[in-house]
Amino acid sequence: MNSAVSDAALIGMDWGTSSLRAFLIGMDGEILDVISTSLGIMHVEDRDFESVFHDLLKVWLAEKTLPVIASGMITSRNGWVETPYVQVPSGIDELASALVTHETSKGVQLQFVTGMTTEHDGAPDVMRGEETQIVGASAAGLGDGIYVMPGTHSKWITVSGGRIGDYMTYMTGELFGTLKSHTILGSLMEDGPFNEGGFRLGVKSGLSSKGNLLHELFHVRTLPLFGKISEEMSADYMSGMLIGAEVRYAARSLEANQTVTIVGRGDLSDRYEIALAVAELGSRRAPENIVASGHFLIAKSAGLIS
């Protein structure tokens, strides 16, 4: 038997919209092996999630019977099994109590982590997958505070007493992509390496916005048109403006010495780190793969691991 499998206590799956990661997790929560693929829920042909599941995990499952726990968009309406939401404030115990059991045609049982919901001004907000990462952050000793999770739909999350107290979703990433590809603002943009100078200028503009962003966005076209910024700067200028406007609102209640924890990987998280610095707010980065720690803690609370 593979030594990693023999030492494993759990399989955790982070199954999102565009990617899928599976973790072989040991008795103390350590990651023993990782499988990563681009087969997010939007890339699974004919929504045949069960076949993807068995093909991905066949080596691990053939050697040892292990509990399996999955989080992310796989539990959404477009996923494998739609699960209900738990209401904030919630944490490990509530998520463990709300696990949804599913058995595949081959007799393999897996537990789905449900999403989480809150409400602002009479309108619901939802998350799927981020709650498991935040649970994992507690295992990394990051504790209470404000977390930002950059993405197509970024989340700003408040953690208090080890539980998610509230959060808000911002469509910043999706708005950027739409404006760049489908509006006149993209017509003067030239692709190239990240232009930090243009990004910082945009962040400053977004941070100083007086709530007139729909007007100020037109500057993305007029500034390069009149040579006030270069065409190579304009895409990153718009990115900075949108992220700056997001930070301005989302961080409005933060104290000057409060640190924001950035949960994420890649250049988008780098951009948020720069934007927070421009806003004179401290930041730190969460370790990678904290979602596996979340899987472990929820499974342990649910009694899936002795």
Side-chain angles (χ1 to χ4, degrees):
M1 179 184 292
N2 182 302
S3 60
V5 177
S6 65
D7 293 337
L10 177 71
I11 294 172
M13 301 185 74
D14 177 25
W15 203 333
T17 302
S18 58
S19 64
L20 163 59
R21 292 181 297 162
F23 303 92
L24 196 61
I25 303 169
M27 286 298 299
D28 296 319
E30 71 277 20
I31 296 173
L32 303 174
D33 198 3
V34 181
I35 300 172
S36 183
T37 132
S38 61
L39 286 172
I41 66 166
M42 301 307 291
H43 304 304
V44 174
E45 189 173 349
D46 298 325
R47 294 167 50 89
D48 190 2
F49 302 110
E50 181 167 317
S51 292
V52 172
F53 171 83
H54 283 293
D55 287 345
L56 189 76
L57 302 183
K58 60 186 176 183
V59 174
W60 292 349
L61 293 174
E63 296 194 33
K64 187 177 182 180
T65 301
L66 291 166
V68 183
I69 188 168
S71 62
M73 290 299 289
I74 192 62
T75 66
S76 70
R77 191 158 298 178
N78 295 322
W80 191 351
V81 174
E82 185 180 8
T83 66
Y85 296 96
V86 297
Q87 183 74 42
V88 297
S90 290
I92 296 171
D93 292 340
E94 289 83 1
L95 291 169
S97 297
L99 288 175
V100 174
T101 303
H102 177 75
E103 184 169 319
T104 73
S105 60
K106 295 184 178 181
V108 178
Q109 278 198 355
L110 62 155
Q111 306 289 330
F112 287 116
V113 181
T114 190
M116 200 171 283
T117 185
T118 186
E119 189 169 298
H120 299 108
D121 300 321
D125 201 337
V126 295
M127 67 165 71
R128 287 193 186 274
E130 293 92 350
E131 73 294 317
T132 305
Q133 295 183 68
I134 295 299
V135 165
S138 65
L142 298 176
D144 293 352
I146 303 295
Y147 292 76
V148 60
M149 308 183 81
T152 305
H153 302 152
S154 64
K155 308 279 186 186
W156 286 73
I157 300 170
T158 302
V159 178
S160 179
R163 304 164 81 219
I164 294 174
D166 202 6
Y167 65 91
M168 296 187 79
T169 302
Y170 295 81
M171 293 183 63
T172 309
E174 186 164 8
L175 181 59
F176 171 81
T178 300
L179 291 172
K180 184 175 185 291
S181 300
H182 300 290
T183 74
I184 198 171
L185 298 183
S187 63
L188 295 180
M189 293 180 181
E190 292 188 4
D191 292 331
F194 175 51
N195 190 300
E196 185 173 337
F199 180 76
R200 285 178 174 271
L201 284 173
V203 170
K204 290 176 182 177
S205 175
L207 289 171
S208 63
S209 173
K210 303 301 183 184
N212 202 15
L213 186 64
L214 291 178
H215 161 66
E216 292 158 1
L217 274 168
F218 196 60
H219 297 165
V220 176
R221 176 164 176 80
T222 59
L223 287 172
L225 191 65
F226 282 83
K228 292 184 178 294
I229 64 173
S230 69
E231 294 180 1
E232 292 83 3
M233 295 170 70
S234 58
D236 291 312
Y237 179 87
M238 183 170 72
S239 172
M241 177 185 283
L242 293 172
I243 292 174
E246 175 188 323
V247 169
R248 182 178 185 272
Y249 188 85
R252 65 196 182 283
S253 62
L254 290 182
E255 299 174 2
N257 61 347
Q258 195 166 357
T259 298
V260 178
T261 302
I262 302 170
V263 180
R265 300 172 292 165
D267 63 339
L268 186 56
S269 291
D270 295 340
R271 288 173 185 253
Y272 274 75
E273 189 170 27
I274 293 169
L276 288 165
V278 172
E280 299 183 348
L281 294 168
S283 67
R284 60 181 177 176
R285 302 285 280 268
E288 287 195 24
N289 296 332
I290 58 172
V291 66
S293 298
H295 290 143
F296 178 79
L297 290 172
I298 294 169
K300 195 164 187 179
S301 177
L304 300 177
I305 304 171
S306 57

